[in-house]
Amino acid sequence: MKLVKGDRVRVLSGKDRGKQGSVTRVLPGEGKVIVDGVNVAKKHQKPTRATMQGGIIDKDMPIPASNVAVLCPKGHPTRVGFEFASDGTKRRVCKKCGAEL
Ligand SMILES: [Zn+2]
């Protein structure tokens, strides 16, 4: 899994195809990610002592990580590559233009 929380991504397939958002959660075990505002499901929430309020709430559901493309800081969708900096640290780079992600 090359995605991390906070990445800007574009959805490639499914009902939210073409949408963009940032990754709010990564589920490596399932190979899925949760993207802000993508694959929203209406949940019927019962009132709880904590919220004191029920009703229908929007909840972002996980989508397969293979259905999203990372967006480069320069704005184009790309794939993630890895590069070692001179000090030995690994960094993530755009495979198209080499910009750091
Ligand atoms: Zn790029």
Side-chain angles (χ1 to χ4, degrees):
M1 178 88 65
K2 288 173 175 175
L3 294 164
V4 297
K5 190 179 167 183
D7 278 349
R8 295 283 305 168
V9 296
R10 178 180 292 173
V11 181
L12 300 176
S13 60
K15 71 181 170 84
D16 289 317
R17 193 155 79 108
K19 268 196 193 173
Q20 295 182 14
S22 57
V23 175
T24 54
R25 216 174 141 201
V26 180
L27 309 166
E30 300 170 51
K32 290 181 175 177
V33 292
I34 297 175
V35 182
D36 191 32
V38 170
N39 200 24
V40 177
K42 301 282 184 196
K43 286 278 190 183
H44 297 263
Q45 177 83 49
K46 276 190 187 154
T48 64
R49 248 171 248 252
T51 58
M52 295 297 283
Q53 196 180 329
I56 299 166
I57 57 159
D58 290 339
K59 192 174 191 311
D60 298 334
M61 299 301 287
I63 57 172
S66 56
N67 284 3
V68 303
V70 178
L71 290 173
C72 174
K74 293 181 182 173
H76 47 243
T78 187
R79 285 184 301 169
V80 179
F82 288 100
E83 210 177 77
F84 286 95
S86 49
D87 62 358
T89 55
K90 200 158 99 169
R91 51 189 202 123
R92 304 188 317 145
V93 296
C94 169
K95 275 209 171 171
K96 280 187 185 159
C97 70
E100 188 166 358
L101 294 170

